[in-house]
Amino acid sequence: MTQTMGKAFTENFLGRSPDWFKFTIIGFLVLNPIVAATMGNFIAGWLLIAEFIFCLAMALKCYPLQPGGLLAIEAVIIGLTSPDAIYAETVQNFPVILLLMFMVAGIYFLKEMLLFAFTKILLGVQSKTLLSVLFCAVSAVLSAFLDALTVTAVVITVAEGFYGVYHKVASGYGYDHDHDHSADDEVKELHREDLDQFRAFLRNLMMHAAIGTALGGVTTLVGEPQNLLIAKEAGWEFIEFFLRMAPVTMPVLAVGLLTCMSLELLGWFGYGATLRPAVREILGEYDRFESGRRTERQTAVLIIQAGCSILLVIALGLHLAEVGIIGLMVIVVATAFNGVTEEHRIGHAFEEALPFTSLLVVFFAIVAVIHDQHLFTPVTDFVLALEGDDLRTSAFYLANGVLSMISDNVFVATVYISEVKNALLAGEITIEQFNLLAVAINTGTNIPSVATPNGQAAFLFLLTSALAPLIRLSYGRMVLMALPYTVTMSITGLLAVIYLL
């Protein structure tokens, strides 16, 4: 009986995750208090970061919320942080939580129109290289004026729609069949190779689009949350922010787009996958099928969704309210005018966003550990002590980049801009030096951080989305596919910081 119950507890713990993963997490939970007691909280804090990154890397084995959450709970118990510190980090990032709760759900109610529009684009652009550059460039432009998470949510919705359409046909069903596209059991042998190729094709587009959000997000005051924080400390308005960043961001944008084109032409790092004729034909038939059976009422739905999209862009572009509040407005308008009034139909929209929102709060707990244990202080003190404008500015860029790959780039920017502002107020640096360092902090936290999914919230959202396991996009694969972008964009940014500022 004891053995049976023991086995039952083991099988229930972290569900279907591999046994080696379960025992690894248990090992972490046993090890952390020992390290904290014998080697101190500073070492235990860095060990916790490594363990959390491991959980993110294993996202396809087990959603990171549970193992990461257990580590965060233990961090509070052994004194690495406190509930108040976690709450403070959460409140500080409340706009991001609002965004995830409501904007992602709002995009869900626009998915028919988005799939309609992007199907036309996908079928109309024959060149994969041109399509990739288009996805990257459009994501960059949208992220400069909207926000990276919203743009990523749009692209995920579109890609998941494409995948679902083809997977239904590959499994032998019609376009209107209610089908579980997470299981390949029913996929016909004839379509398996095409399905694998289509997954690679969608991975390419998703990574190009994700990089595009970083390329555009760094350029403007509203592109990323830390941009607004830095602009507030520096006293910069929209145009001044753009112009001060432009000597770094514009060369990086150009190099990013050239990298996108080169990767598609060369087929390196998993890029270059094309849309096979059989898949293109199925998507074309789906488009014709939907157009042929579209009723007046369904057309009205598309018109309302298009109107909501225009309203969304205007509201975000003019910053009429917090992004999450605008998302809630989209939910209300789109559902009211399209007759979605049943609670269970509305509830489906939140299934994608809320698990990630929970994971993000767990991530804030890890950030609270970094803050409370001053894990970044040695690096910060070293960089601030450097002499010479060029050396210190480039060191700020690199330090912010490396730390943002590990932690939250908003947190890193907050730490560094606060230190630099204090140095300015104390008379240790001039206003000209402050402005240069502010540019270095902003570009450092935004550009090199594309190296890892935990470096950018949009990347982490993509990794933990329902789409990632469908197209086999793991943590390691994201790092590998981001590597050429990380190298070219980071080096370009560093050279621009040294020679063009």
PDB file of all heavy atoms in Angstrom, residues 417-451:
ATOM      1  N   ILE A 417      19.553  53.117 -14.418  1.00  0.00           N
ATOM      2  CA  ILE A 417      19.179  54.518 -14.608  1.00  0.00           C
ATOM      3  C   ILE A 417      19.065  55.227 -13.255  1.00  0.00           C
ATOM      4  O   ILE A 417      19.376  56.425 -13.133  1.00  0.00           O
ATOM      5  CB  ILE A 417      17.874  54.657 -15.426  1.00  0.00           C
ATOM      6  CG1 ILE A 417      17.728  56.087 -15.980  1.00  0.00           C
ATOM      7  CG2 ILE A 417      16.663  54.269 -14.604  1.00  0.00           C
ATOM      8  CD1 ILE A 417      18.767  56.472 -16.993  1.00  0.00           C
ATOM      9  N   SER A 418      18.661  54.485 -12.222  1.00  0.00           N
ATOM     10  CA  SER A 418      18.591  55.073 -10.878  1.00  0.00           C
ATOM     11  C   SER A 418      19.989  55.416 -10.368  1.00  0.00           C
ATOM     12  O   SER A 418      20.208  56.500  -9.793  1.00  0.00           O
ATOM     13  CB  SER A 418      17.902  54.106  -9.901  1.00  0.00           C
ATOM     14  OG  SER A 418      16.592  53.828 -10.315  1.00  0.00           O
ATOM     15  N   GLU A 419      20.953  54.498 -10.580  1.00  0.00           N
ATOM     16  CA  GLU A 419      22.332  54.746 -10.151  1.00  0.00           C
ATOM     17  C   GLU A 419      22.932  55.939 -10.891  1.00  0.00           C
ATOM     18  O   GLU A 419      23.608  56.789 -10.294  1.00  0.00           O
ATOM     19  CB  GLU A 419      23.183  53.495 -10.399  1.00  0.00           C
ATOM     20  CG  GLU A 419      22.832  52.305  -9.524  1.00  0.00           C
ATOM     21  CD  GLU A 419      23.239  52.504  -8.070  1.00  0.00           C
ATOM     22  OE1 GLU A 419      24.075  53.383  -7.796  1.00  0.00           O
ATOM     23  OE2 GLU A 419      22.703  51.775  -7.207  1.00  0.00           O
ATOM     24  N   VAL A 420      22.672  56.009 -12.183  1.00  0.00           N
ATOM     25  CA  VAL A 420      23.223  57.102 -12.988  1.00  0.00           C
ATOM     26  C   VAL A 420      22.580  58.433 -12.602  1.00  0.00           C
ATOM     27  O   VAL A 420      23.254  59.470 -12.535  1.00  0.00           O
ATOM     28  CB  VAL A 420      23.017  56.799 -14.496  1.00  0.00           C
ATOM     29  CG1 VAL A 420      23.386  58.011 -15.340  1.00  0.00           C
ATOM     30  CG2 VAL A 420      23.854  55.605 -14.923  1.00  0.00           C
ATOM     31  N   LYS A 421      21.269  58.424 -12.339  1.00  0.00           N
ATOM     32  CA  LYS A 421      20.587  59.658 -11.920  1.00  0.00           C
ATOM     33  C   LYS A 421      21.124  60.142 -10.573  1.00  0.00           C
ATOM     34  O   LYS A 421      21.326  61.357 -10.368  1.00  0.00           O
ATOM     35  CB  LYS A 421      19.082  59.398 -11.829  1.00  0.00           C
ATOM     36  CG  LYS A 421      18.248  60.654 -11.588  1.00  0.00           C
ATOM     37  CD  LYS A 421      18.356  61.621 -12.759  1.00  0.00           C
ATOM     38  CE  LYS A 421      17.505  62.862 -12.562  1.00  0.00           C
ATOM     39  NZ  LYS A 421      16.059  62.593 -12.767  1.00  0.00           N
ATOM     40  N   ASN A 422      21.388  59.212  -9.669  1.00  0.00           N
ATOM     41  CA  ASN A 422      21.969  59.587  -8.371  1.00  0.00           C
ATOM     42  C   ASN A 422      23.361  60.197  -8.555  1.00  0.00           C
ATOM     43  O   ASN A 422      23.719  61.165  -7.867  1.00  0.00           O
ATOM     44  CB  ASN A 422      22.061  58.353  -7.457  1.00  0.00           C
ATOM     45  CG  ASN A 422      20.693  57.880  -7.005  1.00  0.00           C
ATOM     46  OD1 ASN A 422      19.736  58.656  -6.991  1.00  0.00           O
ATOM     47  ND2 ASN A 422      20.587  56.615  -6.629  1.00  0.00           N
ATOM     48  N   ALA A 423      24.145  59.612  -9.480  1.00  0.00           N
ATOM     49  CA  ALA A 423      25.485  60.152  -9.762  1.00  0.00           C
ATOM     50  C   ALA A 423      25.390  61.563 -10.339  1.00  0.00           C
ATOM     51  O   ALA A 423      26.204  62.440 -10.016  1.00  0.00           O
ATOM     52  CB  ALA A 423      26.225  59.226 -10.734  1.00  0.00           C
ATOM     53  N   LEU A 424      24.377  61.808 -11.175  1.00  0.00           N
ATOM     54  CA  LEU A 424      24.176  63.147 -11.749  1.00  0.00           C
ATOM     55  C   LEU A 424      23.810  64.154 -10.658  1.00  0.00           C
ATOM     56  O   LEU A 424      24.372  65.257 -10.592  1.00  0.00           O
ATOM     57  CB  LEU A 424      23.079  63.096 -12.814  1.00  0.00           C
ATOM     58  CG  LEU A 424      22.635  64.445 -13.397  1.00  0.00           C
ATOM     59  CD1 LEU A 424      23.762  65.062 -14.208  1.00  0.00           C
ATOM     60  CD2 LEU A 424      21.385  64.279 -14.260  1.00  0.00           C
ATOM     61  N   LEU A 425      22.882  63.771  -9.788  1.00  0.00           N
ATOM     62  CA  LEU A 425      22.437  64.670  -8.721  1.00  0.00           C
ATOM     63  C   LEU A 425      23.548  64.946  -7.719  1.00  0.00           C
ATOM     64  O   LEU A 425      23.591  66.022  -7.107  1.00  0.00           O
ATOM     65  CB  LEU A 425      21.225  64.061  -8.008  1.00  0.00           C
ATOM     66  CG  LEU A 425      19.956  63.899  -8.861  1.00  0.00           C
ATOM     67  CD1 LEU A 425      18.857  63.196  -8.072  1.00  0.00           C
ATOM     68  CD2 LEU A 425      19.474  65.255  -9.364  1.00  0.00           C
ATOM     69  N   ALA A 426      24.466  63.970  -7.571  1.00  0.00           N
ATOM     70  CA  ALA A 426      25.590  64.150  -6.648  1.00  0.00           C
ATOM     71  C   ALA A 426      26.742  64.933  -7.280  1.00  0.00           C
ATOM     72  O   ALA A 426      27.746  65.204  -6.607  1.00  0.00           O
ATOM     73  CB  ALA A 426      26.085  62.785  -6.177  1.00  0.00           C
ATOM     74  N   GLY A 427      26.593  65.268  -8.560  1.00  0.00           N
ATOM     75  CA  GLY A 427      27.631  66.026  -9.242  1.00  0.00           C
ATOM     76  C   GLY A 427      28.818  65.191  -9.694  1.00  0.00           C
ATOM     77  O   GLY A 427      29.864  65.733 -10.068  1.00  0.00           O
ATOM     78  N   GLU A 428      28.681  63.873  -9.695  1.00  0.00           N
ATOM     79  CA  GLU A 428      29.785  62.994 -10.088  1.00  0.00           C
ATOM     80  C   GLU A 428      29.928  62.898 -11.604  1.00  0.00           C
ATOM     81  O   GLU A 428      31.001  62.562 -12.111  1.00  0.00           O
ATOM     82  CB  GLU A 428      29.567  61.595  -9.486  1.00  0.00           C
ATOM     83  CG  GLU A 428      29.572  61.592  -7.963  1.00  0.00           C
ATOM     84  CD  GLU A 428      29.140  60.252  -7.392  1.00  0.00           C
ATOM     85  OE1 GLU A 428      28.973  59.300  -8.193  1.00  0.00           O
ATOM     86  OE2 GLU A 428      28.974  60.146  -6.160  1.00  0.00           O
ATOM     87  N   ILE A 429      28.833  63.138 -12.337  1.00  0.00           N
ATOM     88  CA  ILE A 429      28.874  63.154 -13.810  1.00  0.00           C
ATOM     89  C   ILE A 429      28.128  64.380 -14.315  1.00  0.00           C
ATOM     90  O   ILE A 429      27.290  64.957 -13.597  1.00  0.00           O
ATOM     91  CB  ILE A 429      28.246  61.880 -14.422  1.00  0.00           C
ATOM     92  CG1 ILE A 429      26.784  61.721 -13.984  1.00  0.00           C
ATOM     93  CG2 ILE A 429      29.065  60.639 -14.078  1.00  0.00           C
ATOM     94  CD1 ILE A 429      26.050  60.573 -14.660  1.00  0.00           C
ATOM     95  N   THR A 430      28.424  64.785 -15.531  1.00  0.00           N
ATOM     96  CA  THR A 430      27.749  65.937 -16.133  1.00  0.00           C
ATOM     97  C   THR A 430      26.457  65.483 -16.824  1.00  0.00           C
ATOM     98  O   THR A 430      26.231  64.288 -17.018  1.00  0.00           O
ATOM     99  CB  THR A 430      28.654  66.609 -17.171  1.00  0.00           C
ATOM    100  OG1 THR A 430      28.874  65.688 -18.265  1.00  0.00           O
ATOM    101  CG2 THR A 430      29.996  66.989 -16.560  1.00  0.00           C
ATOM    102  N   ILE A 431      25.636  66.460 -17.229  1.00  0.00           N
ATOM    103  CA  ILE A 431      24.389  66.134 -17.916  1.00  0.00           C
ATOM    104  C   ILE A 431      24.670  65.473 -19.266  1.00  0.00           C
ATOM    105  O   ILE A 431      23.920  64.587 -19.707  1.00  0.00           O
ATOM    106  CB  ILE A 431      23.506  67.406 -18.087  1.00  0.00           C
ATOM    107  CG1 ILE A 431      22.140  67.041 -18.672  1.00  0.00           C
ATOM    108  CG2 ILE A 431      24.213  68.440 -18.944  1.00  0.00           C
ATOM    109  CD1 ILE A 431      21.298  66.135 -17.827  1.00  0.00           C
ATOM    110  N   GLU A 432      25.760  65.876 -19.925  1.00  0.00           N
ATOM    111  CA  GLU A 432      26.127  65.248 -21.203  1.00  0.00           C
ATOM    112  C   GLU A 432      26.495  63.787 -21.003  1.00  0.00           C
ATOM    113  O   GLU A 432      26.090  62.914 -21.787  1.00  0.00           O
ATOM    114  CB  GLU A 432      27.303  65.996 -21.853  1.00  0.00           C
ATOM    115  CG  GLU A 432      26.968  67.384 -22.390  1.00  0.00           C
ATOM    116  CD  GLU A 432      26.898  68.420 -21.282  1.00  0.00           C
ATOM    117  OE1 GLU A 432      27.354  68.121 -20.140  1.00  0.00           O
ATOM    118  OE2 GLU A 432      26.375  69.527 -21.539  1.00  0.00           O
ATOM    119  N   GLN A 433      27.252  63.508 -19.933  1.00  0.00           N
ATOM    120  CA  GLN A 433      27.608  62.116 -19.628  1.00  0.00           C
ATOM    121  C   GLN A 433      26.370  61.307 -19.258  1.00  0.00           C
ATOM    122  O   GLN A 433      26.230  60.149 -19.650  1.00  0.00           O
ATOM    123  CB  GLN A 433      28.631  62.082 -18.485  1.00  0.00           C
ATOM    124  CG  GLN A 433      30.003  62.614 -18.871  1.00  0.00           C
ATOM    125  CD  GLN A 433      30.920  62.751 -17.658  1.00  0.00           C
ATOM    126  OE1 GLN A 433      30.471  63.123 -16.566  1.00  0.00           O
ATOM    127  NE2 GLN A 433      32.195  62.451 -17.850  1.00  0.00           N
ATOM    128  N   PHE A 434      25.457  61.932 -18.516  1.00  0.00           N
ATOM    129  CA  PHE A 434      24.216  61.257 -18.142  1.00  0.00           C
ATOM    130  C   PHE A 434      23.421  60.851 -19.380  1.00  0.00           C
ATOM    131  O   PHE A 434      22.908  59.727 -19.479  1.00  0.00           O
ATOM    132  CB  PHE A 434      23.369  62.170 -17.253  1.00  0.00           C
ATOM    133  CG  PHE A 434      21.979  61.637 -16.980  1.00  0.00           C
ATOM    134  CD1 PHE A 434      21.765  60.702 -15.988  1.00  0.00           C
ATOM    135  CD2 PHE A 434      20.892  62.078 -17.731  1.00  0.00           C
ATOM    136  CE1 PHE A 434      20.489  60.199 -15.747  1.00  0.00           C
ATOM    137  CE2 PHE A 434      19.619  61.586 -17.499  1.00  0.00           C
ATOM    138  CZ  PHE A 434      19.414  60.644 -16.494  1.00  0.00           C
ATOM    139  N   ASN A 435      23.314  61.770 -20.345  1.00  0.00           N
ATOM    140  CA  ASN A 435      22.554  61.486 -21.565  1.00  0.00           C
ATOM    141  C   ASN A 435      23.164  60.320 -22.348  1.00  0.00           C
ATOM    142  O   ASN A 435      22.451  59.463 -22.867  1.00  0.00           O
ATOM    143  CB  ASN A 435      22.488  62.734 -22.444  1.00  0.00           C
ATOM    144  CG  ASN A 435      21.582  63.804 -21.859  1.00  0.00           C
ATOM    145  OD1 ASN A 435      20.683  63.510 -21.070  1.00  0.00           O
ATOM    146  ND2 ASN A 435      21.825  65.056 -22.235  1.00  0.00           N
ATOM    147  N   LEU A 436      24.495  60.291 -22.429  1.00  0.00           N
ATOM    148  CA  LEU A 436      25.172  59.190 -23.134  1.00  0.00           C
ATOM    149  C   LEU A 436      24.925  57.853 -22.438  1.00  0.00           C
ATOM    150  O   LEU A 436      24.651  56.836 -23.084  1.00  0.00           O
ATOM    151  CB  LEU A 436      26.677  59.457 -23.201  1.00  0.00           C
ATOM    152  CG  LEU A 436      27.149  60.581 -24.129  1.00  0.00           C
ATOM    153  CD1 LEU A 436      28.656  60.778 -23.988  1.00  0.00           C
ATOM    154  CD2 LEU A 436      26.805  60.257 -25.578  1.00  0.00           C
ATOM    155  N   LEU A 437      25.006  57.872 -21.111  1.00  0.00           N
ATOM    156  CA  LEU A 437      24.800  56.634 -20.350  1.00  0.00           C
ATOM    157  C   LEU A 437      23.346  56.162 -20.439  1.00  0.00           C
ATOM    158  O   LEU A 437      23.074  54.956 -20.469  1.00  0.00           O
ATOM    159  CB  LEU A 437      25.205  56.829 -18.892  1.00  0.00           C
ATOM    160  CG  LEU A 437      26.702  57.071 -18.655  1.00  0.00           C
ATOM    161  CD1 LEU A 437      26.980  57.348 -17.183  1.00  0.00           C
ATOM    162  CD2 LEU A 437      27.526  55.882 -19.126  1.00  0.00           C
ATOM    163  N   ALA A 438      22.407  57.126 -20.495  1.00  0.00           N
ATOM    164  CA  ALA A 438      20.990  56.757 -20.633  1.00  0.00           C
ATOM    165  C   ALA A 438      20.744  56.042 -21.963  1.00  0.00           C
ATOM    166  O   ALA A 438      19.996  55.064 -22.030  1.00  0.00           O
ATOM    167  CB  ALA A 438      20.109  58.001 -20.527  1.00  0.00           C
ATOM    168  N   VAL A 439      21.378  56.527 -23.021  1.00  0.00           N
ATOM    169  CA  VAL A 439      21.271  55.865 -24.330  1.00  0.00           C
ATOM    170  C   VAL A 439      21.868  54.467 -24.262  1.00  0.00           C
ATOM    171  O   VAL A 439      21.297  53.497 -24.780  1.00  0.00           O
ATOM    172  CB  VAL A 439      21.964  56.697 -25.432  1.00  0.00           C
ATOM    173  CG1 VAL A 439      21.993  55.921 -26.754  1.00  0.00           C
ATOM    174  CG2 VAL A 439      21.260  58.031 -25.629  1.00  0.00           C
ATOM    175  N   ALA A 440      23.035  54.355 -23.615  1.00  0.00           N
ATOM    176  CA  ALA A 440      23.700  53.049 -23.480  1.00  0.00           C
ATOM    177  C   ALA A 440      22.844  52.065 -22.690  1.00  0.00           C
ATOM    178  O   ALA A 440      22.771  50.874 -23.027  1.00  0.00           O
ATOM    179  CB  ALA A 440      25.062  53.224 -22.806  1.00  0.00           C
ATOM    180  N   ILE A 441      22.182  52.550 -21.631  1.00  0.00           N
ATOM    181  CA  ILE A 441      21.328  51.685 -20.819  1.00  0.00           C
ATOM    182  C   ILE A 441      20.139  51.192 -21.643  1.00  0.00           C
ATOM    183  O   ILE A 441      19.811  50.000 -21.642  1.00  0.00           O
ATOM    184  CB  ILE A 441      20.844  52.429 -19.561  1.00  0.00           C
ATOM    185  CG1 ILE A 441      22.012  52.701 -18.610  1.00  0.00           C
ATOM    186  CG2 ILE A 441      19.750  51.638 -18.838  1.00  0.00           C
ATOM    187  CD1 ILE A 441      21.686  53.667 -17.480  1.00  0.00           C
ATOM    188  N   ASN A 442      19.492  52.107 -22.369  1.00  0.00           N
ATOM    189  CA  ASN A 442      18.310  51.732 -23.142  1.00  0.00           C
ATOM    190  C   ASN A 442      18.653  50.740 -24.254  1.00  0.00           C
ATOM    191  O   ASN A 442      17.990  49.708 -24.407  1.00  0.00           O
ATOM    192  CB  ASN A 442      17.659  52.974 -23.744  1.00  0.00           C
ATOM    193  CG  ASN A 442      16.365  52.643 -24.463  1.00  0.00           C
ATOM    194  OD1 ASN A 442      15.384  52.226 -23.858  1.00  0.00           O
ATOM    195  ND2 ASN A 442      16.365  52.788 -25.775  1.00  0.00           N
ATOM    196  N   THR A 443      19.681  51.044 -25.008  1.00  0.00           N
ATOM    197  CA  THR A 443      20.054  50.147 -26.114  1.00  0.00           C
ATOM    198  C   THR A 443      20.645  48.843 -25.588  1.00  0.00           C
ATOM    199  O   THR A 443      20.435  47.783 -26.181  1.00  0.00           O
ATOM    200  CB  THR A 443      21.058  50.836 -27.057  1.00  0.00           C
ATOM    201  OG1 THR A 443      22.168  51.345 -26.291  1.00  0.00           O
ATOM    202  CG2 THR A 443      20.401  51.982 -27.806  1.00  0.00           C
ATOM    203  N   GLY A 444      21.356  48.904 -24.465  1.00  0.00           N
ATOM    204  CA  GLY A 444      21.932  47.695 -23.889  1.00  0.00           C
ATOM    205  C   GLY A 444      20.877  46.721 -23.391  1.00  0.00           C
ATOM    206  O   GLY A 444      20.994  45.505 -23.584  1.00  0.00           O
ATOM    207  N   THR A 445      19.829  47.243 -22.768  1.00  0.00           N
ATOM    208  CA  THR A 445      18.778  46.365 -22.250  1.00  0.00           C
ATOM    209  C   THR A 445      17.870  45.842 -23.358  1.00  0.00           C
ATOM    210  O   THR A 445      17.220  44.805 -23.191  1.00  0.00           O
ATOM    211  CB  THR A 445      17.908  47.089 -21.203  1.00  0.00           C
ATOM    212  OG1 THR A 445      17.428  48.326 -21.753  1.00  0.00           O
ATOM    213  CG2 THR A 445      18.697  47.374 -19.947  1.00  0.00           C
ATOM    214  N   ASN A 446      17.804  46.526 -24.479  1.00  0.00           N
ATOM    215  CA  ASN A 446      16.885  46.133 -25.553  1.00  0.00           C
ATOM    216  C   ASN A 446      17.503  45.260 -26.639  1.00  0.00           C
ATOM    217  O   ASN A 446      16.829  44.405 -27.206  1.00  0.00           O
ATOM    218  CB  ASN A 446      16.295  47.383 -26.224  1.00  0.00           C
ATOM    219  CG  ASN A 446      15.093  47.922 -25.483  1.00  0.00           C
ATOM    220  OD1 ASN A 446      14.067  47.267 -25.385  1.00  0.00           O
ATOM    221  ND2 ASN A 446      15.222  49.123 -24.931  1.00  0.00           N
ATOM    222  N   ILE A 447      18.788  45.476 -26.964  1.00  0.00           N
ATOM    223  CA  ILE A 447      19.362  44.812 -28.144  1.00  0.00           C
ATOM    224  C   ILE A 447      20.021  43.471 -27.812  1.00  0.00           C
ATOM    225  O   ILE A 447      19.586  42.429 -28.325  1.00  0.00           O
ATOM    226  CB  ILE A 447      20.332  45.764 -28.876  1.00  0.00           C
ATOM    227  CG1 ILE A 447      19.559  46.979 -29.396  1.00  0.00           C
ATOM    228  CG2 ILE A 447      21.020  45.049 -30.039  1.00  0.00           C
ATOM    229  CD1 ILE A 447      20.432  48.120 -29.904  1.00  0.00           C
ATOM    230  N   PRO A 448      21.051  43.400 -26.972  1.00  0.00           N
ATOM    231  CA  PRO A 448      21.667  42.089 -26.693  1.00  0.00           C
ATOM    232  C   PRO A 448      20.727  41.109 -25.993  1.00  0.00           C
ATOM    233  O   PRO A 448      20.948  39.902 -26.036  1.00  0.00           O
ATOM    234  CB  PRO A 448      22.858  42.437 -25.786  1.00  0.00           C
ATOM    235  CG  PRO A 448      23.120  43.890 -26.017  1.00  0.00           C
ATOM    236  CD  PRO A 448      21.782  44.484 -26.283  1.00  0.00           C
ATOM    237  N   SER A 449      19.664  41.622 -25.360  1.00  0.00           N
ATOM    238  CA  SER A 449      18.755  40.757 -24.608  1.00  0.00           C
ATOM    239  C   SER A 449      17.955  39.821 -25.498  1.00  0.00           C
ATOM    240  O   SER A 449      17.256  38.930 -24.990  1.00  0.00           O
ATOM    241  CB  SER A 449      17.800  41.603 -23.749  1.00  0.00           C
ATOM    242  OG  SER A 449      17.061  42.495 -24.556  1.00  0.00           O
ATOM    243  N   VAL A 450      18.036  39.973 -26.822  1.00  0.00           N
ATOM    244  CA  VAL A 450      17.353  39.018 -27.719  1.00  0.00           C
ATOM    245  C   VAL A 450      18.019  37.646 -27.663  1.00  0.00           C
ATOM    246  O   VAL A 450      17.488  36.674 -28.213  1.00  0.00           O
ATOM    247  CB  VAL A 450      17.327  39.518 -29.187  1.00  0.00           C
ATOM    248  CG1 VAL A 450      16.644  40.871 -29.288  1.00  0.00           C
ATOM    249  CG2 VAL A 450      18.729  39.582 -29.787  1.00  0.00           C
ATOM    250  N   ALA A 451      19.150  37.544 -26.988  1.00  0.00           N
ATOM    251  CA  ALA A 451      19.912  36.285 -26.944  1.00  0.00           C
ATOM    252  C   ALA A 451      19.131  35.152 -26.286  1.00  0.00           C
ATOM    253  O   ALA A 451      19.272  33.991 -26.662  1.00  0.00           O
ATOM    254  CB  ALA A 451      21.238  36.493 -26.214  1.00  0.00           C
TER     255      ALA A 451
END
